Amino acid sequence: VYPNVMNKPYNFFNNGYQEQDILKVGIGYFVKYSDKIDTKFKGTPMMRVTAEREDDGYQDKVLLYEGWNTIGALSYPMNVSYISFDERDAQTPKPTSSYVFKHGIWGYKTNVGYYETSILEPGWGYWLKANPFSSGYLRLVYPEVGRLVAAENNGKESILNASTRLSIVDNAQHSTNLYMTNANVDVEYFELPPVPPAGLFDARFYNNTILANTESSVINLQGIEYPVMITVNNADAIYIFEDAVTGEVLGAVKKGENNSIEIKSTANNSIRVLKSEISSDLAVEAYPNPVSATSTIKYVVPTDGFVTVNLYDALGNQTVLFQGFRTAGVYTLDLNAAKLASG
């Protein structure tokens, strides 16, 4: 089936990737190519995948379990709205379309990573997420001629369009988008499928989503080639980027700007993103605030110069937190207040 692949196909099963010697209809697989890619396949066109036995006795029972599953497509393009499910048994609830479509149907391309789709294309594999405690058989039946079904609007696109977009491009021209918002939204429905096998490109927030709604979040990268460029589109705050391991400030984008920062390396391919509402003039803030045990101090330096960050108590006693030369930018430092008196 895949004469030019470099490895055995493998799919995602039981929370891990497993190599497969035998391909089964209706299941999606990862295969790796070098230069020559297979684009044509011999065989009988597949018009349906169901647990029901057809007149000729042929049957494709693709059992889905709770969580993420890899599925295949039919021999002709088909809207994801036609995906449905059959019961496994009377005691086990089958996956529900509302839950599955809310999480989305995801494909994977090596240059962009995961992408949400409304069309199942022939020859491609896809991901879907089934309800907790559910199990059932996949049902794909190519629709009758002339019958159309509108794609279900899961509402995610409008939320992403209203969010601040972080466009990520690396030196190998991998590119994808992540988003940050101030809205009170359930980020569960912006969850990505499991991280692809080692070496394949991927970018996501630490909680496996493409959307974050917190003031601080961590971007995890895989399969990238430095330098990495991150562009903030229409920043709704000051965005500060740090190495998530060392705390080194990698760059910042001011509120209202469309600007980029170049990241030449990180300690563990992870980048912390901090949002700040403080002005781009000389300014300082602490979070959390009030401070109990520890806090992070953020300060803005508008022009190159000598900087001193001081902490004062109510009597005017001074503690120097930082003193030295700083170029223009946004910086952070940690404050351990455990030994300080309240206030």
Side-chain angles (χ1 to χ4, degrees):
V1 178
Y2 304 113
N4 295 305
V5 296
M6 301 171 61
N7 67 320
K8 291 182 180 180
Y10 45 99
N11 68 322
F12 188 82
F13 178 74
N14 198 23
N15 291 322
Y17 292 102
Q18 300 181 6
E19 284 192 343
Q20 303 293 338
D21 292 308
I22 303 298
L23 299 181
K24 295 182 180 180
V25 173
I27 296 177
Y29 299 88
F30 273 105
V31 292
K32 185 175 182 179
Y33 288 98
S34 56
D35 298 327
K36 189 175 182 181
I37 300 174
D38 299 309
T39 58
K40 296 182 180 180
F41 307 95
K42 297 179 180 179
T44 302
M46 297 300 302
M47 305 297 289
R48 55 183 285 137
V49 173
T50 71
E52 301 170 352
R53 192 175 298 279
E54 296 189 41
D55 294 338
D56 59 4
Y58 195 69
Q59 188 178 33
D60 302 304
K61 299 181 72 171
V62 178
L63 187 58
L64 306 177
Y65 299 89
E66 65 172 322
W68 289 102
N69 297 264
T70 51
I71 66 169
L74 299 180
S75 297
Y76 299 94
M78 188 180 78
N79 195 291
V80 299
S81 302
Y82 290 102
I83 297 174
S84 59
F85 311 95
D86 293 325
E87 286 187 348
R88 177 183 183 179
D89 52 58
Q91 292 74 38
T92 308
K94 66 181 181 180
T96 60
S97 297
S98 59
Y99 183 92
V100 170
F101 293 142
K102 189 73 174 179
H103 283 84
I105 308 299
W106 296 82
Y108 182 87
K109 293 182 179 179
T110 53
N111 61 328
V112 299
Y114 286 113
Y115 64 96
E116 194 168 356
T117 186
S118 60
I119 301 294
L120 301 182
E121 296 284 355
W124 291 91
Y126 297 92
W127 292 86
L128 64 78
K129 188 175 185 181
N131 311 51
F133 310 109
S134 70
S135 181
Y137 293 107
L138 176 67
R139 183 178 181 85
L140 298 178
V141 179
Y142 192 73
E144 300 173 1
V145 177
R147 182 184 171 209
L148 298 176
V149 173
E152 183 172 336
N153 182 4
N154 57 22
K156 292 194 288 187
E157 185 175 355
S158 60
I159 294 175
L160 295 180
N161 288 339
S163 303
T164 296
R165 185 172 76 252
L166 309 181
S167 300
I168 301 173
V169 181
D170 76 347
N171 194 51
Q173 297 305 301
H174 299 120
S175 63
T176 194
N177 295 319
L178 299 178
Y179 300 84
M180 297 189 76
T181 181
N182 294 323
N184 183 20
V185 298
D186 189 350
V187 297
E188 174 193 353
Y189 295 111
F190 295 86
E191 180 184 356
L192 289 168
V195 176
L200 292 179
F201 172 70
D202 187 73
R204 62 183 62 205
F205 289 110
Y206 73 98
N207 57 349
N208 294 321
T209 65
I210 61 170
L211 177 70
N213 62 348
T214 58
E215 297 300 305
S216 173
S217 191
V218 173
I219 298 173
N220 291 327
L221 303 172
Q222 175 183 281
I224 60 166
E225 181 181 311
Y226 289 101
V228 172
M229 189 75 68
I230 300 181
T231 302
V232 182
N233 297 272
N234 193 24
D236 59 346
I238 298 176
Y239 281 77
I240 307 150
F241 297 88
E242 298 178 346
D243 187 309
V245 176
T246 67
E248 176 189 358
V249 176
L250 304 171
V253 175
K254 296 179 181 179
K255 184 175 182 179
E257 288 186 343
N258 295 316
N259 215 338
S260 304
I261 65 166
E262 184 181 66
I263 301 173
K264 296 182 179 179
S265 66
T266 61
N268 195 33
N269 290 341
S270 57
I271 301 165
R272 184 179 303 279
V273 186
L274 304 169
K275 292 176 62 176
S276 173
E277 293 296 336
I278 59 178
S279 70
S280 56
D281 299 322
L282 186 63
V284 65
E285 72 171 15
Y287 61 97
N289 190 11
V291 181
S292 56
T294 61
S295 182
T296 299
I297 309 298
K298 262 189 303 191
Y299 58 99
V300 177
V301 181
T303 58
D304 298 357
F306 190 83
V307 174
T308 302
V309 181
N310 291 327
L311 175 69
Y312 296 89
D313 66 13
L315 299 177
N317 298 312
Q318 172 185 317
T319 301
V320 178
L321 300 180
F322 173 81
Q323 196 171 62
F325 183 84
R326 286 297 198 196
T327 57
V330 182
Y331 298 90
T332 63
L333 57 88
D334 294 325
L335 171 64
N336 185 351
K339 296 181 179 180
L340 298 179
S342 178

